[in-house]
Amino acid sequence: WLRVVESQGGTVQAGGSLRLSCVSSEYIRGRNCVAWFRQGPGKEREAVAGIEMGGVRTKYAKSVEGRFTIRQVESNYTIYLIMNALKPEDTGIYSCGADMDAACDTARWFKVDQYDTWSLGTRVTVSS
């Protein structure tokens, strides 16, 4: 399973920062993919950041590029989403997905069906 942990409460003011941790109960093998997704009010789920475990490859949605960072903690059990300069439009339910079985297919990095294991979502609210 996967679990999302927040560094602080899920409500921040615009311009603030928040760190989410995606914690896995299983070792995520090198070259497997992990990604963060979010679903804003009245919006479809969208990918915001992806990482290939053990490597240097990452990918970001244009809406968060330069503000969000996805990072693998030294162990292969935790992946951070570090969110800076938060905007009200970043409000949503955040969840993480991992492909536990296969090496990363970067062509499908932001595709929901790439991932076979999901966390429950956590609400992030950015107030203006």
Side-chain angles (χ1 to χ4, degrees):
W1 48 256
L2 298 176
R3 179 167 60 98
V4 175
V5 178
E6 300 168 357
S7 60
Q8 61 186 67
T11 300
V12 296
Q13 288 195 329
S17 299
L18 187 65
R19 187 187 74 199
L20 301 179
S21 301
C22 178
V23 180
S24 175
S25 62
E26 300 177 39
Y27 180 85
I28 304 174
R29 291 177 293 182
R31 301 194 65 194
N32 285 25
C33 285
V34 175
W36 286 93
F37 288 74
R38 70 183 180 191
Q39 186 166 15
K43 298 180 182 178
E44 294 193 357
R45 182 167 49 177
E46 62 173 346
V48 296
I51 189 168
E52 180 187 40
M53 299 294 285
V56 297
R57 292 193 293 178
T58 57
K59 181 177 180 177
Y60 296 93
K62 290 192 184 303
S63 58
V64 306
E65 208 158 17
R67 300 187 298 120
F68 289 14
T69 302
I70 186 169
R71 180 178 299 161
Q72 174 188 343
V73 179
E74 191 170 322
S75 74
N76 279 40
Y77 291 88
T78 302
I79 298 91
Y80 289 150
L81 182 67
I82 301 164
M83 304 184 289
N84 295 319
L86 283 162
K87 303 176 181 179
E89 50 262 44
D90 294 319
T91 293
I93 306 293
Y94 284 71
S95 58
C96 58
D99 184 345
M100 304 296 279
D101 292 333
C104 203
D105 179 356
T106 55
R108 297 174 57 240
W109 217 334
F110 278 6
K111 302 292 186 183
V112 170
D113 61 4
Q114 161 88 329
Y115 303 97
D116 52 43
T117 305
W118 289 91
S119 69
L120 294 178
T122 192
R123 183 178 300 274
V124 173
T125 302
V126 184
S127 60
S128 57

